[in-house]
Amino acid sequence: MLASKFATSAASRNAWTRLMSTSAAPSSYKLVVVGGGAAGLAVSSTLSRKLGKGEVAVIEPSRIHYQQPLFTFVGGGLKDFKDTHRPTSEVVPPEAQWIDQAAADIDPEANTVTLADGSKVSYEYLVVAAGIELNFGGIKGLKETIGKNGVASNYSPKYVQKTYEFLQDVRGGNALFTMPATPIKCAGAPQKIAYLADELFRGKGIRDNVTINYYTALGKIFAVDKYADAMNAVAKSRDINVNLFHDLVEVDGAAKKATFKILGSGPKAGETVSVPYEFLHVTPPMKPFDFIKNSKIANAAGFVDVDQYTLQHSRYSNIYSLGDCSSLPTSKTAAAAAAQSSVLKLNLLNQIKGNKVPAAQYDGYTSCPLVTGKHKLVLAEFSGYTGSPHETFFFNQANEHAFSYWLTADLLPEIYWKSMLKGTWGGPSSIRKVANPTSVN
């Protein structure tokens, strides 16, 4: 009875929050944050406390907030899907106004954001943290077959549970895993699930019946050489075939056939090759949202055009951006967003207060925890600007390690909910000073 009353009370509270998020919302704010994902909440949580109640608005259409780094674990059968999400009403900071709509346009000349219903929200300062759009329509036949015919993707909450379901159905044949040519978020995820599938097949005693192929449109398995060497060694030890410069262009679900275009400059460049599959994990191509791409704040590629060190817009000084929608030339990860958020908040607050101090600078730090099995993980940390490793711990993080797995699977999710979304986690730089003071790696 008590649990029922509590659940009813919580549901009523969430419904009331959603109602108040838009019904009484003013049309002008000191700061508007477009996006209620990890990056947007890391910024809005801190700045809404600093600027005061009602001064910050968060524009976010989704009523569910997902901790996306856990999706690989769900797809591999290592985590429950229920652990990956919470109502947006529970994670938006209480001092901020949640506007429960999508952004449709940004006018940096008028300092306004147009919402999906046509109304406008004015701002003095703007932070764009809208993420990146999954483009399932960018591959012929994929939209029609995703979620059935053995085709799944860990990148979507709609299909991530299908990954583990379809992997369990495999008895033999080809298991294919793909990586597109476009910029994507969490660039290690396309191969991580291949290692988990290998472990699953071995556990079921059918590994000899399954051929695992990893197809990447890129020219190497990982961008940073140190970790590329490590992952090539892992793939070789697991008998996983790595196919470079192969971009998935079509899926025929009825025939269970995947077609790849060969990229690069080799003798077969431009040709296509079709491969039958029993299981196909697709990483969809991704693209900037149209409301950013079609606005004056975008660069030629459609991302928000910001200085890579200060995160301030290159032309509009009252606009900042971070995370997947920004032009920052580093790997798009939650770890990168955390580090970016600390720099952005410091620079924006100094600007708001009129402090004439040198700008804080972001060094391109990012991290990609490459899970290779249950209790095994390669913890890649590096600067996307220099390509150099930037490891937090004293041991060689290119080696598979149980500690790295525990950190990623168990500790970081807690940090995500309890610290990053509340604006108090800006990355491991302070830990690095203690855990790896001489930067031995």
Side-chain angles (χ1 to χ4, degrees):
M1 178 67 72
L2 181 61
S4 176
K5 288 182 178 179
F6 178 80
T8 301
S9 174
S12 299
R13 196 162 55 245
N14 291 340
W16 176 251
T17 302
R18 287 198 299 272
L19 175 64
M20 293 303 293
S21 69
T22 55
S23 62
S27 60
S28 182
Y29 299 87
K30 171 73 75 174
L31 170 66
V32 169
V33 178
V34 179
L41 293 181
V43 171
S44 61
S45 291
T46 298
L47 295 185
S48 61
R49 290 194 298 269
K50 296 283 187 180
L51 299 177
K53 190 173 182 63
E55 294 291 331
V56 177
V58 178
I59 298 173
E60 173 52 56
S62 176
R63 294 182 177 181
I64 302 294
H65 179 98
Y66 294 98
Q67 186 185 351
Q68 296 177 59
L70 282 179
F71 282 1
T72 289
F73 293 93
V74 174
L78 301 176
K79 292 283 185 180
D80 196 304
F81 182 67
K82 66 179 177 59
D83 297 328
T84 68
H85 56 90
R86 295 181 183 179
T88 299
S89 59
E90 293 183 2
V91 295
V92 171
E95 299 87 356
Q97 180 72 52
W98 174 30
I99 299 176
D100 184 13
Q101 288 198 60
D105 183 57
I106 295 174
D107 185 346
E109 307 288 350
N111 290 335
T112 60
V113 178
T114 301
L115 303 176
D117 67 357
S119 62
K120 295 182 185 292
V121 178
S122 300
Y123 61 83
E124 291 183 43
Y125 300 91
L126 178 70
V127 172
V128 186
I132 193 169
E133 184 176 6
L134 304 179
N135 183 20
F136 286 104
I139 297 173
K140 184 179 179 181
L142 180 58
K143 288 181 70 174
E144 294 75 20
T145 197
I146 185 75
K148 55 187 179 181
N149 298 317
V151 182
S153 178
N154 286 346
Y155 276 88
S156 168
K158 186 176 181 180
Y159 305 120
V160 61
Q161 295 179 89
K162 290 292 184 180
T163 300
Y164 188 58
E165 176 186 332
F166 292 161
L167 282 173
Q168 290 180 302
D169 292 338
V170 173
R171 297 293 181 267
N174 292 327
L176 313 183
F177 302 83
T178 73
M179 165 81 167
T182 65
I184 66 169
K185 53 186 172 183
C186 193
Q191 62 182 284
K192 289 189 276 190
I193 188 59
Y195 306 127
L196 294 181
D198 166 78
E199 185 173 72
L200 176 65
F201 297 151
R202 291 182 189 277
K204 293 172 64 177
I206 62 168
R207 182 62 179 89
D208 289 344
N209 302 330
V210 182
T211 300
I212 298 180
N213 284 293
Y214 176 61
Y215 291 93
T216 172
L218 307 182
K220 55 197 302 188
I221 195 171
F222 199 84
V224 178
D225 288 342
K226 175 177 181 177
Y227 305 115
D229 292 342
M231 302 322 295
N232 277 320
V234 171
K236 184 177 181 180
S237 70
R238 310 286 175 83
D239 195 24
I240 295 173
N241 304 311
V242 177
N243 303 274
L244 306 178
F245 292 121
H246 280 66
D247 190 24
L248 181 67
V249 294
E250 182 176 357
V251 180
D252 184 338
K256 284 198 167 183
K257 182 176 67 175
T259 299
F260 299 87
K261 182 178 180 180
I262 301 175
L263 307 181
S265 57
K268 295 186 178 181
E271 296 181 8
T272 59
V273 57
S274 294
V275 183
Y277 69 82
E278 185 64 25
F279 171 83
L280 173 62
H281 179 273
V282 178
T283 299
M286 301 179 198
K287 62 180 182 177
F289 286 99
D290 285 343
F291 78 88
I292 295 175
K293 182 179 180 180
N294 297 331
S295 74
K296 294 180 180 179
I297 68 171
N299 64 9
F303 295 97
V304 184
D305 192 7
V306 294
D307 182 276
Q308 70 179 54
Y309 300 109
T310 67
L311 283 68
Q312 187 176 38
H313 198 274
S314 61
R315 298 184 301 281
Y316 302 101
S317 62
N318 64 332
I319 297 178
Y320 291 75
S321 183
L322 76 165
D324 301 346
C325 70
S326 74
S327 62
L328 300 173
T330 191
S331 185
K332 299 178 184 297
T333 68
Q340 293 160 15
S341 70
S342 62
V343 172
L344 187 155
K345 289 184 287 190
L346 186 57
N347 288 340
L348 179 51
L349 275 173
N350 280 330
Q351 182 181 3
I352 292 172
K353 294 177 180 179
N355 297 333
K356 304 298 182 182
V357 296
Q361 300 216 336
Y362 169 60
D363 62 3
Y365 170 81
T366 189
S367 177
C368 186
L370 295 152
V371 59
T372 56
K374 191 174 183 180
H375 305 306
K376 293 183 289 187
L377 187 142
V378 170
L379 184 55
E381 288 186 287
F382 56 97
S383 167
Y385 295 173
T386 65
S388 300
H390 201 33
E391 298 184 350
T392 298
F393 301 101
F394 62 88
F395 59 87
N396 184 356
Q397 293 177 198
N399 294 331
E400 295 174 283
H401 207 288
F403 171 80
S404 299
Y405 180 92
W406 168 80
L407 180 77
T408 302
D410 299 320
L411 181 60
L412 287 179
E414 292 298 309
I415 291 174
Y416 182 93
W417 294 118
K418 296 178 180 179
S419 186
M420 183 175 178
L421 296 191
K422 298 182 184 301
T424 57
W425 173 255
S429 57
S430 59
I431 298 174
R432 187 178 299 114
K433 294 176 182 178
V434 176
N436 192 13
T438 59
S439 298
V440 294
N441 299 315

